[in-house]
Amino acid sequence: MTIRYESVENLINLIKNKEIKPSQIVNDIYDAIEETDPTIKSFLALDKENAVKQAQELDELQAKDQMEGKLFGIPMGIKDNIITEGVETTCASKMLEGFVPIYESTVMNKLRNEQAVLIGKLNLDEFAMGGSTETSYFKKTVNPFDHTAVPGGSSGGSAAAVAAGLVPFSLGTDTGGSIRQPAAYCGIVGMKPTYGRVSRFGLVAFASSLDQIGPLTRNVKDNALVLETVTGLDENDSTSAPVEESDFTADIGKDIQGLKVALPTEYLGEGVSEDVKASVKQAVETLKELGATVEEVSLPNTKYGIPSYYVIASSEASSNLSRFDGIRYGYHSPEANSLEELYKMSRSEGFGDEVKRRIFLGTFALSSGYYDAFYKKSQKVRTLIKNDFDRIFENYDVIVGPTTPTPAFNIGEEIDDPLTMYANDLLTTPVNLAGLPGISVPCGKSNGRPIGLQFIGKPFDEKTLYRVAYQYETKFNFHNEYEKL
């Protein structure tokens, strides 16, 4: 195994034991990017000069046995809608091309304090709006397992870079499945934490009541290690939860004997491919072999998740994106001759089709005469969906099901069919609407394309999700698949 496919945990141990220097790891990573990323197209910007300089400084600290950070010398990639001081942050949009922030996001401050090394910024769907990373203004990322397939979205660059061995971990964001869906498509582990678990300060807002930052890794324990470093109460984020407990690795390795697992019948219903159903049913049998009790349940309001989600998310997006007006920052149309033209032309030229579509939908849903019929009703449905989960969690520890209805689809196949694209979020959006944690782990393949298994937990119970996901991973270990890419 080459360094590029080593786990976070192994790299930490290699550095602590002085078997390798941080600068060697960073140089190997940039060599891998130079070799592979022209094909994968996962990075939008590289921060090589600063990364190499930081790694050399860490070499000196390593020599003095001053390795204090939990992620000392570990390379990372960051989704390009998370603010990075001094490093271009574009949200994969023409609107923010060339924008270099003058402050740092909370998650980046935490990672830098743990002495992780920023390698670069990763591609996404424009402003995180999309499910395939095809709406990016700059490039289309491909799936490392099949270059004719999408990597998923909106965190497609974050997932593809990890699967291809270009970084051992990355951060993505999940508004309706945007960490878990690309993790499933790219055969890696993706965690969407409980809403409020990770600070959103410095995350360019899409839908503020749904957005959550989370880690993508190649195995479960690495994921837990990374999440531990970015959680915690943040006074800069009014939605940050006052929950300090963050030892997510404590239960990793414990058996799941007697764990009660719920399998919603709706999660294996219409629209879910036969290959996905077969892989999930096999995973259920594995959970039973590990000692868990698995029973079928019903989440009857699941079918309303997609319409409810898209009304709420688009409404919040139309409000959040009003700040990009061509005046304060971002793209400024050079052809505008009046204030009204400046607004219209800057936004028309700066935003892509999918972003405009959601602004139109959201503005319509919030407009006079339609607010009660659409937005208010969607919020009521959101409550019903949350109540469904609350009822199940009275008797069960976790919920299991497929992450996505199908494996990754072909590039160009659904980009012009937004309704079909939106339907791919059927199994992930309810988790965001209810503010719950969810993790996707690999559970099979279909025609060479990975299939994801999703575990959903109680609020702030990421520890149990990692425990069950790790036990499943011991029986279905996908790690050797990455080296074949």
Side-chain angles (χ1 to χ4, degrees):
M1 182 183 289
T2 62
I3 284 296
R4 65 185 284 189
Y5 292 111
E6 282 286 2
S7 67
V8 172
E9 184 181 23
N10 286 350
L11 288 173
I12 289 171
N13 290 330
L14 289 169
I15 292 171
K16 280 185 177 177
N17 295 331
K18 298 185 179 180
E19 294 176 48
I20 193 168
K21 294 180 178 180
S23 61
Q24 289 176 267
I25 297 173
V26 168
N27 287 328
D28 280 358
I29 287 293
Y30 279 116
D31 287 345
I33 291 170
E34 188 176 335
E35 175 191 339
T36 305
D37 206 51
T39 302
I40 303 298
K41 302 180 179 70
S42 60
F43 280 92
L44 288 180
L46 296 173
D47 193 28
K48 187 171 183 178
E49 185 178 339
N50 288 326
V52 170
K53 181 182 177 183
Q54 182 189 353
Q56 289 169 345
E57 292 170 354
L58 294 177
D59 286 352
E60 295 175 12
L61 293 175
Q62 181 192 36
K64 299 174 186 175
D65 288 318
Q66 295 176 355
M67 298 171 280
E68 297 176 1
K70 291 180 181 178
L71 296 173
F72 184 93
I74 306 300
M76 60 180 172
I78 303 297
K79 188 175 180 181
D80 200 32
N81 61 341
I82 297 172
I83 292 293
T84 44
E85 184 180 7
V87 181
E88 187 179 13
T89 301
T90 68
C91 294
S93 177
K94 180 180 179 180
M95 181 62 81
L96 283 177
E97 185 175 12
F99 172 64
V100 179
I102 57 173
Y103 72 99
E104 196 80 282
S105 58
T106 294
V107 290
M108 279 302 300
N109 268 327
K110 287 176 175 285
L111 289 167
R112 290 193 190 280
N113 288 340
E114 299 297 347
Q115 295 173 301
V117 181
L118 176 63
I119 296 298
K121 304 299 291 293
L122 293 158
N123 198 20
L124 65 150
D125 283 295
E126 185 182 8
F127 281 101
M129 298 181 191
S132 64
T133 315
E134 292 175 282
T135 70
S136 170
Y137 172 69
F138 300 103
K139 59 176 73 170
K140 289 180 173 63
T141 303
V142 305
N143 192 311
F145 280 88
D146 184 341
H147 297 171
T148 65
V150 300
S154 61
S155 306
S158 297
V162 170
L166 305 184
V167 280
F169 81 89
S170 66
L171 288 189
T173 63
D174 194 311
T175 306
S178 290
I179 287 173
R180 290 159 292 150
Q181 185 247 39
Y185 283 179
C186 291
I188 63 170
V189 179
M191 166 65 89
K192 180 259 165 196
T194 308
Y195 183 79
R197 169 71 85 176
V198 179
S199 171
R200 293 184 300 107
F201 180 76
L203 168 63
V204 179
F206 164 11
S208 302
S209 74
L210 300 164
D211 298 338
Q212 191 60 196
I213 297 170
L216 296 104
T217 57
R218 288 187 293 273
N219 69 51
V220 173
K221 190 170 183 181
D222 281 0
N223 204 281
L225 287 168
V226 174
L227 185 60
E228 285 180 354
T229 66
V230 296
T231 61
L233 182 64
D234 180 17
E235 63 181 15
N236 291 318
D237 176 7
S238 62
T239 63
S240 176
V243 179
E244 294 303 324
E245 194 280 322
S246 61
D247 185 2
F248 302 124
T249 57
D251 287 352
I252 284 181
K254 291 184 180 179
D255 65 47
I256 57 170
Q257 195 75 32
L259 197 79
K260 294 194 70 178
V261 180
L263 175 62
T265 54
E266 292 83 1
Y267 285 14
L268 293 176
E270 185 180 353
V272 180
S273 78
E274 292 304 316
D275 285 353
V276 170
K277 286 181 184 177
S279 291
V280 171
K281 287 177 181 177
Q282 184 58 52
V284 166
E285 293 305 312
T286 301
L287 294 173
K288 291 177 181 177
E289 291 169 12
L290 289 165
T293 301
V294 184
E295 296 175 353
E296 287 195 8
V297 298
S298 178
L299 291 171
N301 292 298
T302 296
K303 60 186 175 183
Y304 303 121
I306 292 288
S308 172
Y309 166 80
Y310 275 98
V311 169
I312 293 169
S314 297
S315 297
E316 294 183 13
S318 74
S319 175
N320 279 324
L321 268 62
S322 64
R323 69 193 69 180
F324 301 103
D325 53 12
I327 296 177
R328 286 165 287 188
Y329 49 81
Y331 178 75
H332 179 104
S333 177
E335 305 297 324
N337 295 310
S338 67
L339 182 62
E340 186 174 344
E341 280 189 7
L342 178 63
Y343 287 149
K344 285 182 178 179
M345 295 176 73
S346 296
R347 291 168 68 79
S348 295
E349 296 165 16
F351 289 136
D353 290 344
E354 182 60 31
V355 175
K356 292 176 190 173
R357 183 181 291 120
R358 299 199 192 195
I359 290 173
F360 280 129
L361 174 60
T363 304
F364 174 78
L366 292 175
S367 61
S368 177
Y370 297 101
Y371 178 89
D372 287 348
F374 294 105
Y375 184 74
K376 189 175 180 180
K377 186 175 288 185
S378 294
Q379 291 287 20
K380 290 180 177 179
V381 170
R382 182 181 194 168
T383 301
L384 294 177
I385 290 170
K386 184 182 182 300
N387 290 343
D388 277 355
F389 282 117
D390 290 345
R391 175 175 50 81
I392 297 302
F393 282 128
E394 287 176 4
N395 300 304
Y396 296 91
D397 299 299
V398 297
I399 294 170
V400 70
T403 309
T404 58
T406 65
F409 48 89
N410 293 333
I411 293 171
E413 186 177 350
E414 296 184 8
I415 190 65
D416 296 322
D417 184 0
L419 292 181
T420 301
M421 183 82 80
Y422 297 169
N424 292 318
D425 296 334
L426 171 70
L427 303 169
T428 52
T429 52
V431 177
N432 297 79
L433 289 167
L436 300 174
I439 189 170
S440 179
V441 296
C443 71
K445 272 185 172 184
S446 175
N447 297 319
R449 299 179 184 184
I451 294 170
L453 180 72
Q454 178 176 217
F455 294 105
I456 303 166
K458 299 174 184 177
F460 301 103
D461 194 20
E462 287 85 356
K463 186 183 285 189
T464 299
L465 290 186
Y466 283 128
R467 175 184 161 201
V468 65
Y470 179 83
Q471 285 298 323
Y472 175 73
E473 186 181 68
T474 63
K475 297 294 184 182
F476 189 90
N477 193 336
F478 208 68
H479 201 74
N480 292 334
E481 296 290 325
Y482 308 119
E483 292 175 86
K484 300 174 187 176
L485 298 177

